Amino acid sequence: MTSMSSMGSQSNKDRSKTASSATVTRLFQKSLRDLITGASFLSRVVKLNSLLPASAAAPKIKLNCAKRRSFFSFLCVLSRPNGIITLAQTFYDREHQSVIINPFFSSIHQTGIRSHKDNQKDFMNKSLQDIRAEVVSSDIRTKSIAIEKATYLHSLGFNMNWASFHVVELMSTANVKYKRVGYLAACQSFGDDTDVVLLIPNLLKKDLASPNPAEAALAISCLANIVTPELSQTLVADVYSLLNNHKPDLRRRACLCLYKCFLRYPEALRPSFARLTECLEDDDQTVVQAAVTVLSELAMHNPKTYLPLAPKFYKLLTTSSSNWMTIKLVKVFGALTPLEPRLGKKLVGPLSEILETTSAKSLMYECIRTVVQGMTSQEKIVRQAVDKLKDMLEDTDPNIKFLALHALTFLLDSHPRIVAEHKGNIFGCLDHEDSNIQYCALKIVRGLVTKKTLMDTTAHLMGAMGRADKKFRDELVWSVIHICMSDRYALVTDFVWYLSVLADLIRVPSSSHGKLVGDQIIDVCLRVEVIRESAVGILSPILIDPTLLEMSSVNKTVPDALKAIAWVVGEYAHYLTDHAELVHALTQQQVTQLPGPVQSVYIHSALKIYSSAVSEHLQATRGSDASILVPETEDLADIRDIIGGKRLMPFMVSLNLEVRERSCQLKTILDAVQDAEDEEAGSGMALVEEIANVFAEEIQPVSTKAQRKLGAPEDLNVNAPLSTEWDHLLESSDSESDDEYSGRKGKKGKKKSKGPKNVTDLFTVKKSKEQIAKEEKEARKMLANHKKKMGNYYLAPEEEAGSGGRKSKKDGKAAAALTATDSAAMQAMQAHLAAHSLGGPISRPSIKGEDDSSDEDEDFEEGAALKIGGYQPTNAASKLHSNLVAYDPLKPSEGRGEGEMPTIEAYPRFDPYERDDAFNPFSVGDGKKKKKKKKSSKKDKDSAAALPSGGEKKEKKEKKEKKEKTKEKDGDGEKKKKKSSKPDDDGEKKKKKKKSKD
């Protein structure tokens, strides 16, 4: 029984172990599928780590060939700096054909970070200290685990640049297991500013030439991630040689790595281009896909150069069975068809067949985009593409809907009628919950508007404002205005309708375009005379509405529009029917809440309305006889009392000077009118009539560029003074400075002033040579003193080394001290200036107290798009590709060795003294000869430094003659030694000891 129970318990343990292993396997396979489908991968990885205890053995998952290939391709993606590092320690067991997961993350991630939420900072500091202690261990396994932990923490934001040298040590190990960890850490942490990158070119050369494909693959992947211009120039030939490797995987990796090398070292593109194009005909399909990927990326940024490759791309398009490669080829043709119209006619058949047969949405969209961008002249396939876009517009997936709208934008100029057939679906997208779809649909609506559809389109947009959020509502307001004002109101046929639309836009809540609406109201009223009476009738109720005067976020920009409306109503006040009501609205108490410029326009408009009311009364009473005085009526007196009563007092004590000045002027005018009317009836009305005649002058619209067209008058002398009476106000400061200078030297008395000078003499006086020399001497002295104090900030002149001029001992010592102590600072500044002269990127210095936020206004004239400063990487793709434009790969090579790739050596030997006949570090010889050669090399160097550049040939001849003489002497000495007797044994031993010491 006991044995049976023990067997049962053992079977239960085995069953639980297999169950947990099956769970891990299922989760890992599901995670790989999530990588392909784009599902949430990180959540399952965390769950996978939670299932693995710290002491658990690494689970093994069987994968077939196809899965292994896809797994390693995704492992490449994961090893990028912005990728996920959770699968960094996943190894491929070649013996058992399985993938091994190392669960070291559970010890850090699960039991560490999760269990120290309160004091996470202290735990991380302790972990980093432990990693620093472990990384210096002589045990390679301990060092590897420490680098693994540092790499994982690096992905969480803890910098591991301090471990760069240890990473290089791990990369140089012979064991591929640890080498993989080192290469992964290098991919994650190395950059252009990493110093130890200078130590790894030979290591990468060795691994690239290794017979082990795993080492070569690691070196290629690492080089593609950390490539710099120097590394690319050194190793591009080694990567190029791998294009001829018998392993398809290495050829594929080398082909992809060359693209990164081209970006950092463009000179390598031309010599390697022929072999790269040959990869399009490779036997392995993965190599062909890699070559297509590289060439397509190059062609997208400079399509004109790669137009001759169109036949090869066309052949691959018609024979390819891979959707991924077909997408790349279609993208390339999308960039080439605008350059060659005949190419579009050739592509009608293949693209039409793909549109009919494919079920992949991605491939279908790329074909549609190629058609709408460069094949708009082919009516048949355009119609076919638009039919497919209709199905995409009706799709429930917002991504597909957006892509369909984006493709329709390319047809607005060439086929607007075809796009207008889907107007219903496009207007429906204005109410979509996705803002990207809304903006894209609005762009199409703006491009479809005509004279016939202007009013209906505006009504649709106005209706959508009530359902949109604030940001999109502002975009709708801007779109309505710019549709109507485009091309000088070319689409507007009824300007009264347009004014009513502008009046409705003022009442849109939380709008930020009040100033734009006000400018449009003034511009339309100035340009179109027939609508001025209607404008006064439409805009007057807006001034009377008290809700628009409330200062709130809803009426944020309404005052700007009210300012324009008050000006229009006051300027064309003769169209008003009720003057008293408008005067009451312009001087009410709530107006004082408006900004100062708006209040000043309100007060001035009140004066215009009052004078217009008086002028209309006089013309209606007396007719054309201006000599008759007409007394003031009760209605006019009421209007004057409304303005001049207590309503005007708040404006007269305003803090705004313009408001206070205009209100005081208005008060003075009204008092004068009342006094004149009290003395003689009708005289006050005559005074107001004169003011009305001044306001009756019509203002004409003037272009902003009109002043440029006016020439300056011939009799205008800009250099002449405005008035000679003001010359005594501007006296020369020379006499004052001379007096101060003389007072410092101890002179008694003061110089007598010569009187005021003419203003024109200050700019026309000529200085004597002695005065100029004195000023230059003082300036040089001041500069020398400043150099002594601030010498750290001055660059050492290049002429000092070989100038041979006489200098003082103090100046020489100071200059030597500066160059000795601050050479690093000088070199940094010289590099900074060199980068500036070459147009390179220069970092901006930080300024204390400077606010980084930019309060720039929105530029609605150029698209009303918010200017958001996005992330700008150090090595931007656009900047790197711009360097490749100058290198045409199909152009014949010019110059010696331009089109040739350098030779490849696993361990290149660089002899720095190869050109000079001196010491060779790779040669083996006697110590005495080495000493002689060193001495001679020093002498030769000294002599070469003293001789000019033109004496190099003479120096070489002298060296050859000395060598021949020494050879002759050595030959004579050997003959004499042979004739002489043999030395003693003791003497030979002493000589051998001397040689060994040497």
Side-chain angles (χ1 to χ4, degrees), residues 726-793:
W726 299 341
D727 292 344
H728 67 280
L729 300 176
L730 301 174
E731 296 181 358
S732 175
S733 60
D734 294 342
S735 59
E736 297 177 1
S737 62
D738 292 341
D739 293 342
E740 292 177 1
Y741 184 72
S742 62
R744 290 176 184 176
K745 289 189 175 183
K747 290 184 178 181
K748 297 181 180 180
K750 297 182 179 180
K751 292 184 179 180
K752 296 181 180 180
S753 60
K754 298 180 181 180
K757 293 184 179 181
N758 193 357
V759 179
T760 56
D761 294 341
L762 298 176
F763 305 98
T764 58
V765 64
K766 294 183 179 180
K767 298 180 181 179
S768 61
K769 293 183 179 179
E770 292 79 7
Q771 190 174 1
I772 295 173
K774 183 180 178 181
E775 292 178 355
E776 290 180 353
K777 185 177 180 181
E778 292 177 356
R780 284 195 295 269
K781 188 176 180 181
M782 291 174 62
L783 181 61
N785 294 332
H786 191 268
K787 281 186 176 181
K788 288 181 180 180
K789 292 180 180 179
M790 313 295 291
N792 296 342
Y793 302 99

Side-chain angles (χ1 to χ4, degrees), residues 79 140 510 520 547 868:
S79 63
I140 190 63
S510 303
Q520 281 294 291
T547 59
I868 302 174

Side-chain angles (χ1 to χ4, degrees), residues 909-968:
R909 295 171 61 182
F910 299 100
D911 188 0
Y913 305 101
E914 185 177 0
R915 294 183 179 179
D916 299 333
D917 297 328
F919 169 63
N920 187 352
F922 298 103
S923 62
V924 181
D926 296 334
K928 293 181 179 180
K929 292 183 179 179
K930 290 182 180 179
K931 282 185 178 181
K932 289 181 179 179
K933 289 184 178 179
K934 287 180 182 178
K935 290 178 182 179
S936 63
S937 64
K938 289 181 182 179
K939 291 178 181 179
D940 294 341
K941 287 180 181 178
D942 295 337
S943 61
L947 288 173
S949 59
E952 293 179 358
K953 295 182 179 179
K954 294 181 179 179
E955 184 184 358
K956 290 181 179 180
K957 290 181 179 179
E958 292 175 359
K959 288 180 180 179
K960 290 181 179 179
E961 292 176 358
K962 288 180 181 179
K963 283 183 180 181
E964 292 176 357
K965 290 180 180 179
T966 53
K967 288 181 180 178
E968 292 176 359

Side-chain angles (χ1 to χ4, degrees), residues 77 142 222 269 276 471 752 856 958:
V77 176
T142 305
C222 180
L269 175 60
L276 192 62
K471 185 178 179 181
K752 296 181 180 180
E856 298 181 357
E958 292 175 359

Side-chain angles (χ1 to χ4, degrees), residues 654-662:
S654 175
L655 297 178
N656 189 282
L657 297 179
E658 184 73 15
V659 175
R660 182 183 296 182
E661 182 181 3
R662 292 201 178 190

Side-chain angles (χ1 to χ4, degrees), residues 75-89:
L75 187 59
C76 251
V77 176
L78 292 176
S79 63
R80 292 183 180 180
N82 58 351
I84 305 169
I85 320 299
T86 314
L87 280 183
Q89 264 305 297

